Amino acid sequence: MGKYKLRCITCGKIYESSEVEYTCPKCGNRMGTLEVIYDYENIKIYREEFSKYENIWQFEKILPIEKGSYRTPLHVGGTPLYNTPSLAEELGIKELVIKYDGTNPTASYKDRASAIAITKAYEKGYDTIYCASTGNAASSLAGLSAPTKLKTFIFLPASAPIAKISQLFIYGAKVIPIDGSYDEAFDISMKIGEEKGWYCRNSAINPYLLEGKKTGALEIAIQNNWNIPDYLLVSVGDGTVISSFYKGFYDLYQLGLIDRIPKIIGVQAKGASAVKRVFDKGEPFLPDDIETNTIADSISVGKPRDVIKACKYVKASGGYFISVSDEEILSAIYELSLKTGIFGEPAGATSYAGLKKIAKKLGKEAKVAIVITGNGLKDIKAIEKFVKLRKIKPDLKAVREVIEEYEN
Amino acid sequence: MGKYKLRCITCGKIYESSEVEYTCPKCGNRMGTLEVIYDYENIKIYREEFSKYENIWQFEKILPIEKGSYRTPLHVGGTPLYNTPSLAEELGIKELVIKYDGTNPTASYKDRASAIAITKAYEKGYDTIYCASTGNAASSLAGLSAPTKLKTFIFLPASAPIAKISQLFIYGAKVIPIDGSYDEAFDISMKIGEEKGWYCRNSAINPYLLEGKKTGALEIAIQNNWNIPDYLLVSVGDGTVISSFYKGFYDLYQLGLIDRIPKIIGVQAKGASAVKRVFDKGEPFLPDDIETNTIADSISVGKPRDVIKACKYVKASGGYFISVSDEEILSAIYELSLKTGIFGEPAGATSYAGLKKIAKKLGKEAKVAIVITGNGLKDIKAIEKFVKLRKIKPDLKAVREVIEEYEN
């Protein structure tokens, strides 16, 4: 076989990568998302060849890209992994490591997927790329395509946080702010993209995105010195990021580099827990869409596009889904910043909210990883209730009074 | 001698680090800022011991800190250096490398200084630390002290960008938002800090901050494979960051690791070019304060605290100061994002605005480095003129019309 093939998540049919662009023609866009499978036995790969903070291109051997094709020069990946022993102790677990992806070029996890999408667009000879997004995939695609010759169209809900929208304009993307939900923006983008023949960077539809995202799992293994956590918690919207964590560990396992895969636990916002609902109903997993209502805009998804894969992978790992309220998410942002200096956006801190909820159940011996998928600076409005700005006159007496208040 | 001593920038008197806390008692806070000087001949250090993306603690041998004292676990430094050949060509210079510090833990260059300040506060046994700041030093100190036991007081102009202010509250700092300028906040903070006996993380006053900041220069040397640029452009407010770049290269030169120091060119906002004015008047350099007016809040400084050092160091390097208008700064943010995918805040992109202005003068053979000191996400309001948000109805016809506009 070549370097890799594509396999339908539902019917299992295997395709050459030249045979199919996005999803399984037989099973369709929703049921027929594709997996990238490698010729694991013939890949020579060693733990020693990786370094902790290199960008994602160090994983080229297990990425679905051609030798010598375009690589973004921006430093995607190689983000920090923080070991936080005192927080672990407080939570009553053995170890807690926190993967923080807020330091990617456009400040979210999505850069890992956009990097691959742009490489594939070049390989396939497209001149235009597009995506629908709650905000982060959008700013990511806009930022990474900025220095390229690709034209970039972005479909997103006009209600996305202003920081994410501002990124699109400053990177020069062609922006279509839809007066509606992410789910509506997604459906419209698919129709337009097909009409126009543009390259699609849409979650789940494009099978290569998940391969970019899986590099977060690879980095956790490397940065934690191949000490694999028992549990990994990650927030869930469309279901691609969580699937990618399973896939990253699965690849390492298939390659003989690790001997087990963590139990993957998906954390959804209570007001947008469509994937959890499908998972809890049990097999066969069938999409079942909902209306959403949550402050965690990045995971405010009612019609999750990667629900089948997410449910199958989480089940295979021995994990499950939980949900947390917006209140719990807000507290999680604050507490995490306060205790670790790591400032996550709402969807970013959702995994920590989930951990707080189930730490006791995981138990004293549990080694846990959580993923903070986006920088808190991307959604300042979400935390405005914590910001108590009152102006103080520039004189010593007024200032001394305020300090006294703080000290008492 | 011990690992290092302190030397007054004006009278040249040398102190043991135990003799003096902040500035030269003879020359005072403004004229008597101190330099940290090492016993260069007895430091064994080799190019090979450094790696590209490690945090600043890899430079411990040439940092003024004790073995085994507190180190922030947050990943400070190891930020990317981007080589941008096509932009260099467009500007008519030979090479352009861009140091991007927007990926530090709190998204600005200031984390490098705060990391050292916190270590020193622990070493010296303080329980409270404070600073005055235009915004970035504030959010940096708040973020890096969050996971420590230190109490943190922050004095800043209440007009600072909301993202920076929000960071303070989410990190749990005790915030004193002054209804006035940075310069007023600074003077008040100094009086209160002295009254209270808190540890001072104020630019120029604390001699160790610059040592943290110099790590940016060390990383440029390492990441550019010891190919030292001819010129380095950096934005200037108080004058500490620019001084730190000279000092970093100076240390490497003294240690025999490089054979020349770049010419350092300071770029100020036209509405806040106090350091340039002092430099242009010539020696002896004497502080000469002004009123400020610029959108680049981080460098909106009328009473620069490190003006003496900045002028002396820039002169020693063979460099000089230039200034750019707010219009030029805004265009620079946009152009840099568009052409490289690097999104800087106003003060961050000021160095690029400066380069655009003098690239021709630097000439075809010039190898240039610029420093982008902060993430654009820290000041979204500054770029609002580029954000043209109009909501589009979620129907295909409306969307097709907008796409047609974009395509024509």
Side-chain angles (χ1 to χ4, degrees):
Chain A
M1 70 181 278
K3 186 175 175 185
Y4 63 90
K5 294 188 191 272
L6 299 166
R7 183 173 62 197
C8 175
I9 191 73
T10 291
C11 73
K13 184 166 160 56
I14 291 177
Y15 298 93
E16 294 295 331
S17 60
S18 56
E19 281 181 281
V20 57
E21 193 77 322
Y22 301 118
T23 53
C24 173
K26 220 175 65 187
C27 300
N29 279 350
R30 204 68 191 280
M31 296 300 293
T33 55
L34 299 174
E35 300 175 282
V36 176
I37 50 170
Y38 298 90
D39 181 13
Y40 295 104
E41 287 184 11
N42 288 308
I43 297 173
K44 285 195 188 7
I45 200 164
Y46 308 94
R47 286 184 175 187
E48 294 69 29
E49 62 193 86
F50 303 115
S51 62
K52 285 190 177 175
Y53 303 114
E54 259 306 325
N55 65 41
I56 59 167
W57 304 125
Q58 70 171 324
F59 304 117
E60 184 156 340
K61 281 182 191 173
I62 46 172
L63 289 175
I65 55 178
E66 293 167 15
K67 272 200 181 132
S69 61
Y70 178 85
R71 307 284 182 266
T72 180
L74 293 165
H75 196 89
V76 175
T79 59
L81 181 79
Y82 294 123
N83 195 327
T84 56
S86 63
L87 194 50
E89 198 185 326
E90 208 176 292
L91 290 163
I93 57 177
K94 189 169 183 184
E95 183 180 283
L96 175 60
V97 293
I98 304 179
K99 183 69 177 164
Y100 178 56
D101 250 37
T103 62
N104 268 319
T106 77
S108 90
Y109 203 83
K110 300 300 173 76
D111 285 342
R112 298 176 185 271
S114 296
I116 302 290
I118 289 171
T119 291
K120 296 311 286 183
Y122 268 96
E123 288 179 1
K124 290 166 179 282
Y126 285 91
D127 64 3
T128 304
I129 190 167
Y130 75 101
C131 79
S133 166
T134 55
N136 280 334
S139 53
S140 167
L141 184 60
L144 270 60
S145 71
T148 76
K149 294 202 164 80
L150 295 171
K151 286 196 285 284
T152 308
F153 280 87
I154 303 289
F155 301 76
L156 84 173
S159 59
I162 185 66
K164 299 179 186 183
I165 288 177
S166 300
Q167 284 180 294
L168 303 178
F169 285 96
I170 207 77
Y171 291 133
K174 299 177 200 314
V175 188
I176 318 284
I178 298 290
D179 193 9
S181 68
Y182 164 64
D183 302 303
E184 286 172 291
F186 193 105
D187 288 334
I188 287 176
S189 82
M190 289 298 293
K191 286 193 187 114
I192 299 279
E194 211 165 300
E195 274 175 29
K196 294 280 183 183
W198 298 336
Y199 192 54
C200 174
R201 185 238 177 272
N202 271 352
S203 209
I205 304 298
N206 184 322
Y208 304 112
L209 303 180
L210 189 148
E211 293 296 305
K213 290 178 179 173
K214 82 178 176 192
T215 56
L218 309 180
E219 289 178 12
I220 289 176
I222 295 160
Q223 294 175 324
N224 211 31
N225 302 311
W226 303 95
N227 168 12
I228 304 303
D230 302 316
Y231 302 94
L232 183 136
L233 281 80
V234 58
S235 62
V236 180
D238 264 313
T240 306
V241 170
I242 191 168
S243 301
S244 79
F245 274 94
Y246 177 80
K247 181 58 159 48
F249 288 111
Y250 173 86
D251 280 358
L252 292 176
Y253 182 82
Q254 291 297 324
L255 293 162
L257 293 172
I258 61 175
D259 59 9
R260 65 198 177 96
I261 293 172
K263 290 185 170 60
I264 313 276
I265 299 171
V267 189
Q268 294 212 280
K270 274 218 166 76
S273 56
V275 181
K276 178 180 187 302
R277 192 158 80 156
V278 170
F279 186 85
D280 289 347
K281 281 192 184 159
E283 291 176 287
F285 299 123
L286 293 170
D288 183 10
D289 305 332
I290 61 169
E291 294 283 320
T292 67
N293 178 22
T294 171
I295 55 152
D297 65 288
S298 304
I299 51 172
S300 182
V301 178
K303 209 170 159 180
R305 310 292 164 155
D306 236 342
V307 59
I308 308 298
K309 210 179 266 179
C311 289
K312 288 196 172 183
Y313 283 3
V314 165
K315 189 168 168 73
S317 81
Y320 49 89
F321 289 84
I322 60 174
S323 64
V324 292
S325 69
D326 281 4
E327 270 308 298
E328 288 170 311
I329 292 172
L330 278 178
S331 302
I333 298 175
Y334 187 55
E335 207 180 299
L336 193 67
S337 302
L338 212 58
K339 292 185 177 182
T340 67
I342 301 168
F343 176 28
E345 65 164 318
T350 296
S351 61
Y352 179 66
L355 175 58
K356 282 189 62 181
K357 203 154 192 168
I358 60 166
K360 267 202 184 137
K361 181 176 151 195
L362 301 183
K364 277 185 220 165
E365 293 306 312
K367 294 189 289 181
V368 181
I370 64 173
V371 185
I372 310 300
T373 46
N375 197 316
L377 289 171
K378 293 200 122 192
D379 191 1
I380 288 302
K381 203 169 159 38
I383 58 157
E384 65 186 357
K385 79 165 191 177
F386 299 108
V387 179
K388 289 173 181 114
L389 187 65
R390 51 165 176 179
K391 296 180 183 180
I392 300 162
K393 270 191 300 177
D395 79 57
L396 278 170
K397 189 165 163 288
V399 171
R400 281 196 197 102
E401 278 170 21
V402 178
I403 288 171
E404 212 161 291
E405 276 177 46
Y406 272 126
E407 288 185 326
N408 296 330
Chain B
M1 67 183 278
K3 186 176 176 185
Y4 63 89
K5 294 188 191 272
L6 299 167
R7 183 172 61 197
C8 174
I9 192 72
T10 292
C11 74
K13 185 167 160 56
I14 291 176
Y15 299 92
E16 294 294 332
S17 61
S18 56
E19 281 180 281
V20 56
E21 193 75 323
Y22 301 118
T23 54
C24 174
K26 220 175 65 185
C27 300
N29 279 350
R30 203 68 190 281
M31 297 298 294
T33 55
L34 299 173
E35 300 175 282
V36 176
I37 50 171
Y38 298 89
D39 182 11
Y40 294 104
E41 286 183 13
N42 287 308
I43 297 173
K44 285 195 188 10
I45 200 163
Y46 307 94
R47 286 184 174 187
E48 296 68 29
E49 62 194 85
F50 303 115
S51 62
K52 286 190 176 174
Y53 303 114
E54 260 304 326
N55 67 40
I56 59 168
W57 305 125
Q58 69 171 325
F59 303 117
E60 184 156 339
K61 282 183 190 172
I62 45 172
L63 289 175
I65 54 177
E66 293 166 15
K67 273 203 178 130
S69 61
Y70 178 84
R71 306 283 183 266
T72 180
L74 292 165
H75 194 89
V76 175
T79 60
L81 181 77
Y82 293 123
N83 196 327
T84 57
S86 62
L87 194 50
E89 198 186 325
E90 208 176 293
L91 290 163
I93 57 177
K94 190 169 181 185
E95 184 179 283
L96 175 61
V97 295
I98 304 179
K99 184 68 176 165
Y100 179 56
D101 250 38
T103 61
N104 268 318
T106 78
S108 90
Y109 203 82
K110 301 300 172 77
D111 285 342
R112 298 177 185 269
S114 296
I116 302 290
I118 289 171
T119 292
K120 297 310 287 183
Y122 269 95
E123 288 179 1
K124 291 166 178 281
Y126 285 91
D127 64 3
T128 304
I129 190 167
Y130 76 100
C131 78
S133 166
T134 55
N136 280 334
S139 53
S140 167
L141 184 61
L144 269 60
S145 71
T148 75
K149 293 202 164 79
L150 294 171
K151 286 196 286 281
T152 307
F153 281 87
I154 303 288
F155 301 76
L156 86 171
S159 60
I162 185 66
K164 299 180 187 183
I165 289 177
S166 300
Q167 283 179 295
L168 303 178
F169 285 95
I170 207 77
Y171 291 132
K174 300 177 200 312
V175 188
I176 319 285
I178 298 290
D179 192 8
S181 68
Y182 164 64
D183 302 302
E184 287 173 290
F186 193 104
D187 288 335
I188 288 177
S189 82
M190 290 299 294
K191 288 194 184 112
I192 299 280
E194 210 166 301
E195 274 174 33
K196 292 282 184 181
W198 297 338
Y199 191 54
C200 175
R201 185 241 178 270
N202 270 351
S203 206
I205 304 298
N206 184 321
Y208 303 112
L209 304 180
L210 189 148
E211 294 296 306
K213 289 179 179 173
K214 81 177 177 193
T215 57
L218 310 180
E219 289 178 11
I220 289 177
I222 294 160
Q223 294 174 325
N224 211 31
N225 302 311
W226 303 94
N227 168 14
I228 304 304
D230 303 315
Y231 301 95
L232 183 137
L233 281 80
V234 58
S235 61
V236 180
D238 264 314
T240 306
V241 170
I242 191 168
S243 301
S244 80
F245 274 94
Y246 177 80
K247 181 57 159 51
F249 287 111
Y250 174 85
D251 279 359
L252 292 177
Y253 182 82
Q254 291 297 322
L255 293 162
L257 292 173
I258 60 174
D259 59 10
R260 64 198 178 98
I261 293 171
K263 290 186 170 58
I264 313 276
I265 299 172
V267 188
Q268 294 213 279
K270 274 219 164 77
S273 56
V275 181
K276 179 181 186 301
R277 192 158 80 154
V278 170
F279 187 85
D280 289 346
K281 280 193 187 160
E283 290 176 288
F285 299 123
L286 292 171
D288 181 12
D289 306 333
I290 60 168
E291 293 285 320
T292 67
N293 178 23
T294 171
I295 54 152
D297 65 288
S298 304
I299 51 171
S300 182
V301 178
K303 209 170 158 180
R305 311 291 165 157
D306 235 341
V307 60
I308 309 297
K309 210 179 264 177
C311 289
K312 288 196 175 186
Y313 283 4
V314 166
K315 188 168 168 72
S317 80
Y320 49 90
F321 288 84
I322 60 174
S323 65
V324 292
S325 69
D326 282 4
E327 270 308 299
E328 289 170 311
I329 292 172
L330 278 178
S331 302
I333 299 175
Y334 186 55
E335 207 179 299
L336 193 67
S337 302
L338 212 57
K339 292 184 177 183
T340 67
I342 301 168
F343 177 27
E345 66 164 320
T350 296
S351 63
Y352 179 65
L355 176 58
K356 282 188 62 182
K357 202 155 193 167
I358 61 166
K360 267 204 184 134
K361 181 177 152 195
L362 301 183
K364 277 185 219 166
E365 293 306 311
K367 294 189 289 181
V368 181
I370 63 174
V371 186
I372 310 300
T373 47
N375 197 314
L377 290 170
K378 293 199 125 194
D379 190 3
I380 288 302
K381 205 172 157 35
I383 57 157
E384 65 186 356
K385 79 165 191 178
F386 299 107
V387 179
K388 288 170 182 120
L389 188 63
R390 51 166 179 179
K391 295 180 185 179
I392 299 162
K393 271 190 299 175
D395 79 56
L396 277 171
K397 189 165 162 285
V399 171
R400 281 197 198 102
E401 278 169 20
V402 177
I403 288 171
E404 211 161 293
E405 275 177 47
Y406 272 125
E407 288 186 325
N408 295 330

mmCIF file of all heavy atoms in Angstrom, chain A residues 65-90:
data_model
loop_
_atom_site.group_PDB
_atom_site.id
_atom_site.type_symbol
_atom_site.label_atom_id
_atom_site.label_comp_id
_atom_site.label_asym_id
_atom_site.label_seq_id
_atom_site.Cartn_x
_atom_site.Cartn_y
_atom_site.Cartn_z
ATOM 1 N N ILE A 65 0.586 13.559 4.315
ATOM 2 C CA ILE A 65 1.065 14.616 3.420
ATOM 3 C C ILE A 65 2.238 14.104 2.601
ATOM 4 O O ILE A 65 2.908 13.143 2.996
ATOM 5 C CB ILE A 65 1.482 15.870 4.227
ATOM 6 C CG1 ILE A 65 2.511 15.514 5.304
ATOM 7 C CG2 ILE A 65 0.259 16.526 4.858
ATOM 8 C CD1 ILE A 65 3.015 16.700 6.109
ATOM 9 N N GLU A 66 2.435 14.730 1.456
ATOM 10 C CA GLU A 66 3.511 14.306 0.554
ATOM 11 C C GLU A 66 4.828 14.972 0.912
ATOM 12 O O GLU A 66 4.846 16.079 1.427
ATOM 13 C CB GLU A 66 3.146 14.688 -0.892
ATOM 14 C CG GLU A 66 1.963 13.918 -1.425
ATOM 15 C CD GLU A 66 1.415 14.508 -2.721
ATOM 16 O OE1 GLU A 66 2.116 15.327 -3.352
ATOM 17 O OE2 GLU A 66 0.276 14.158 -3.084
ATOM 18 N N LYS A 67 5.892 14.303 0.578
ATOM 19 C CA LYS A 67 7.218 14.889 0.776
ATOM 20 C C LYS A 67 7.358 16.154 -0.056
ATOM 21 O O LYS A 67 7.008 16.172 -1.224
ATOM 22 C CB LYS A 67 8.305 13.900 0.369
ATOM 23 C CG LYS A 67 8.695 12.997 1.513
ATOM 24 C CD LYS A 67 10.061 12.359 1.307
ATOM 25 C CE LYS A 67 10.347 11.444 2.500
ATOM 26 N NZ LYS A 67 10.810 10.136 2.125
ATOM 27 N N GLY A 68 7.871 17.195 0.557
ATOM 28 C CA GLY A 68 8.223 18.389 -0.216
ATOM 29 C C GLY A 68 7.063 19.315 -0.548
ATOM 30 O O GLY A 68 7.260 20.346 -1.189
ATOM 31 N N SER A 69 5.841 18.973 -0.135
ATOM 32 C CA SER A 69 4.731 19.903 -0.419
ATOM 33 C C SER A 69 4.750 21.045 0.595
ATOM 34 O O SER A 69 5.563 21.075 1.513
ATOM 35 C CB SER A 69 3.394 19.158 -0.414
ATOM 36 O OG SER A 69 3.144 18.572 0.845
ATOM 37 N N TYR A 70 3.853 21.995 0.428
ATOM 38 C CA TYR A 70 3.837 23.199 1.264
ATOM 39 C C TYR A 70 3.690 22.887 2.750
ATOM 40 O O TYR A 70 2.867 22.073 3.135
ATOM 41 C CB TYR A 70 2.684 24.117 0.823
ATOM 42 C CG TYR A 70 2.570 25.368 1.668
ATOM 43 C CD1 TYR A 70 3.337 26.485 1.367
ATOM 44 C CD2 TYR A 70 1.723 25.418 2.769
ATOM 45 C CE1 TYR A 70 3.265 27.634 2.152
ATOM 46 C CE2 TYR A 70 1.643 26.563 3.558
ATOM 47 C CZ TYR A 70 2.415 27.660 3.245
ATOM 48 O OH TYR A 70 2.347 28.789 4.022
ATOM 49 N N ARG A 71 4.490 23.534 3.560
ATOM 50 C CA ARG A 71 4.348 23.465 5.018
ATOM 51 C C ARG A 71 4.228 24.884 5.551
ATOM 52 O O ARG A 71 5.063 25.725 5.221
ATOM 53 C CB ARG A 71 5.590 22.856 5.680
ATOM 54 C CG ARG A 71 6.047 21.511 5.145
ATOM 55 C CD ARG A 71 5.172 20.384 5.638
ATOM 56 N NE ARG A 71 5.655 19.098 5.163
ATOM 57 C CZ ARG A 71 5.219 18.490 4.062
ATOM 58 N NH1 ARG A 71 4.295 19.046 3.304
ATOM 59 N NH2 ARG A 71 5.709 17.321 3.703
ATOM 60 N N THR A 72 3.239 25.146 6.395
ATOM 61 C CA THR A 72 3.183 26.491 6.983
ATOM 62 C C THR A 72 4.475 26.765 7.741
ATOM 63 O O THR A 72 4.951 25.911 8.490
ATOM 64 C CB THR A 72 1.978 26.678 7.923
ATOM 65 O OG1 THR A 72 2.013 28.026 8.432
ATOM 66 C CG2 THR A 72 2.011 25.734 9.108
ATOM 67 N N PRO A 73 5.041 27.955 7.558
ATOM 68 C CA PRO A 73 6.230 28.308 8.349
ATOM 69 C C PRO A 73 5.882 28.729 9.777
ATOM 70 O O PRO A 73 6.766 28.856 10.610
ATOM 71 C CB PRO A 73 6.829 29.484 7.572
ATOM 72 C CG PRO A 73 5.683 30.090 6.830
ATOM 73 C CD PRO A 73 4.687 28.993 6.577
ATOM 74 N N LEU A 74 4.599 28.941 10.055
ATOM 75 C CA LEU A 74 4.212 29.325 11.414
ATOM 76 C C LEU A 74 4.401 28.145 12.368
ATOM 77 O O LEU A 74 4.230 26.996 11.977
ATOM 78 C CB LEU A 74 2.761 29.831 11.421
ATOM 79 C CG LEU A 74 2.590 31.155 10.660
ATOM 80 C CD1 LEU A 74 1.119 31.442 10.367
ATOM 81 C CD2 LEU A 74 3.197 32.319 11.436
ATOM 82 N N HIS A 75 4.746 28.447 13.588
ATOM 83 C CA HIS A 75 5.090 27.400 14.548
ATOM 84 C C HIS A 75 3.821 26.789 15.153
ATOM 85 O O HIS A 75 3.364 27.200 16.230
ATOM 86 C CB HIS A 75 5.978 27.970 15.650
ATOM 87 C CG HIS A 75 6.683 26.918 16.465
ATOM 88 N ND1 HIS A 75 7.908 26.410 16.126
ATOM 89 C CD2 HIS A 75 6.314 26.271 17.593
ATOM 90 C CE1 HIS A 75 8.279 25.496 17.012
ATOM 91 N NE2 HIS A 75 7.317 25.393 17.916
ATOM 92 N N VAL A 76 3.285 25.789 14.488
ATOM 93 C CA VAL A 76 2.069 25.120 14.959
ATOM 94 C C VAL A 76 2.470 23.914 15.807
ATOM 95 O O VAL A 76 3.310 23.118 15.394
ATOM 96 C CB VAL A 76 1.207 24.669 13.772
ATOM 97 C CG1 VAL A 76 0.012 23.864 14.253
ATOM 98 C CG2 VAL A 76 0.766 25.869 12.955
ATOM 99 N N GLY A 77 1.863 23.793 16.977
ATOM 100 C CA GLY A 77 2.209 22.686 17.869
ATOM 101 C C GLY A 77 3.454 23.019 18.675
ATOM 102 O O GLY A 77 3.942 24.147 18.664
ATOM 103 N N GLY A 78 3.940 21.992 19.392
ATOM 104 C CA GLY A 78 5.056 22.249 20.295
ATOM 105 C C GLY A 78 4.629 23.147 21.448
ATOM 106 O O GLY A 78 5.435 23.844 22.057
ATOM 107 N N THR A 79 3.347 23.106 21.743
ATOM 108 C CA THR A 79 2.798 23.918 22.839
ATOM 109 C C THR A 79 3.121 23.244 24.179
ATOM 110 O O THR A 79 3.397 22.045 24.218
ATOM 111 C CB THR A 79 1.275 24.025 22.688
ATOM 112 O OG1 THR A 79 0.735 22.700 22.704
ATOM 113 C CG2 THR A 79 0.904 24.703 21.372
ATOM 114 N N PRO A 80 3.067 24.001 25.261
ATOM 115 C CA PRO A 80 3.496 23.420 26.541
ATOM 116 C C PRO A 80 2.558 22.354 27.128
ATOM 117 O O PRO A 80 1.361 22.364 26.869
ATOM 118 C CB PRO A 80 3.562 24.627 27.488
ATOM 119 C CG PRO A 80 2.928 25.767 26.800
ATOM 120 C CD PRO A 80 2.780 25.449 25.363
ATOM 121 N N LEU A 81 3.157 21.452 27.870
ATOM 122 C CA LEU A 81 2.408 20.519 28.718
ATOM 123 C C LEU A 81 2.851 20.809 30.151
ATOM 124 O O LEU A 81 4.037 20.752 30.458
ATOM 125 C CB LEU A 81 2.737 19.070 28.364
ATOM 126 C CG LEU A 81 1.976 18.019 29.183
ATOM 127 C CD1 LEU A 81 0.559 17.861 28.641
ATOM 128 C CD2 LEU A 81 2.689 16.660 29.150
ATOM 129 N N TYR A 82 1.897 21.150 31.008
ATOM 130 C CA TYR A 82 2.240 21.524 32.379
ATOM 131 C C TYR A 82 1.857 20.421 33.354
ATOM 132 O O TYR A 82 0.719 19.958 33.359
ATOM 133 C CB TYR A 82 1.509 22.802 32.773
ATOM 134 C CG TYR A 82 1.962 24.020 31.993
ATOM 135 C CD1 TYR A 82 1.062 24.789 31.259
ATOM 136 C CD2 TYR A 82 3.298 24.397 31.989
ATOM 137 C CE1 TYR A 82 1.478 25.913 30.555
ATOM 138 C CE2 TYR A 82 3.728 25.516 31.281
ATOM 139 C CZ TYR A 82 2.814 26.267 30.573
ATOM 140 O OH TYR A 82 3.233 27.379 29.879
ATOM 141 N N ASN A 83 2.820 20.029 34.169
ATOM 142 C CA ASN A 83 2.532 19.089 35.239
ATOM 143 C C ASN A 83 2.207 19.916 36.489
ATOM 144 O O ASN A 83 2.969 20.797 36.867
ATOM 145 C CB ASN A 83 3.760 18.202 35.485
ATOM 146 C CG ASN A 83 3.398 16.987 36.304
ATOM 147 O OD1 ASN A 83 2.511 17.051 37.159
ATOM 148 N ND2 ASN A 83 4.053 15.874 36.051
ATOM 149 N N THR A 84 1.061 19.653 37.088
ATOM 150 C CA THR A 84 0.609 20.509 38.193
ATOM 151 C C THR A 84 0.337 19.663 39.442
ATOM 152 O O THR A 84 -0.813 19.370 39.786
ATOM 153 C CB THR A 84 -0.683 21.248 37.796
ATOM 154 O OG1 THR A 84 -1.660 20.270 37.418
ATOM 155 C CG2 THR A 84 -0.466 22.162 36.620
ATOM 156 N N PRO A 85 1.415 19.301 40.149
ATOM 157 C CA PRO A 85 1.259 18.386 41.293
ATOM 158 C C PRO A 85 0.355 18.918 42.409
ATOM 159 O O PRO A 85 -0.408 18.141 42.987
ATOM 160 C CB PRO A 85 2.704 18.188 41.788
ATOM 161 C CG PRO A 85 3.563 19.151 41.048
ATOM 162 C CD PRO A 85 2.814 19.639 39.853
ATOM 163 N N SER A 86 0.408 20.220 42.673
ATOM 164 C CA SER A 86 -0.410 20.683 43.806
ATOM 165 C C SER A 86 -1.892 20.672 43.451
ATOM 166 O O SER A 86 -2.743 20.386 44.291
ATOM 167 C CB SER A 86 0.054 22.062 44.300
ATOM 168 O OG SER A 86 -0.114 23.007 43.281
ATOM 169 N N LEU A 87 -2.193 20.954 42.202
ATOM 170 C CA LEU A 87 -3.594 20.894 41.780
ATOM 171 C C LEU A 87 -4.085 19.438 41.785
ATOM 172 O O LEU A 87 -5.224 19.154 42.169
ATOM 173 C CB LEU A 87 -3.735 21.509 40.375
ATOM 174 C CG LEU A 87 -5.134 21.846 39.882
ATOM 175 C CD1 LEU A 87 -5.916 22.650 40.890
ATOM 176 C CD2 LEU A 87 -5.064 22.588 38.548
ATOM 177 N N ALA A 88 -3.221 18.533 41.376
ATOM 178 C CA ALA A 88 -3.575 17.107 41.422
ATOM 179 C C ALA A 88 -3.906 16.696 42.856
ATOM 180 O O ALA A 88 -4.916 16.024 43.109
ATOM 181 C CB ALA A 88 -2.417 16.264 40.874
ATOM 182 N N GLU A 89 -3.063 17.137 43.768
ATOM 183 C CA GLU A 89 -3.270 16.782 45.175
ATOM 184 C C GLU A 89 -4.617 17.318 45.681
ATOM 185 O O GLU A 89 -5.390 16.608 46.330
ATOM 186 C CB GLU A 89 -2.127 17.361 46.005
ATOM 187 C CG GLU A 89 -2.006 16.697 47.370
ATOM 188 C CD GLU A 89 -0.941 17.375 48.230
ATOM 189 O OE1 GLU A 89 0.074 17.841 47.673
ATOM 190 O OE2 GLU A 89 -1.165 17.444 49.456
ATOM 191 N N GLU A 90 -4.862 18.575 45.330
ATOM 192 C CA GLU A 90 -6.110 19.208 45.733
ATOM 193 C C GLU A 90 -7.338 18.454 45.198
ATOM 194 O O GLU A 90 -8.367 18.353 45.867
ATOM 195 C CB GLU A 90 -6.095 20.624 45.161
ATOM 196 C CG GLU A 90 -6.878 21.636 45.923
ATOM 197 C CD GLU A 90 -6.680 23.013 45.289
ATOM 198 O OE1 GLU A 90 -5.558 23.570 45.357
ATOM 199 O OE2 GLU A 90 -7.648 23.509 44.701
#
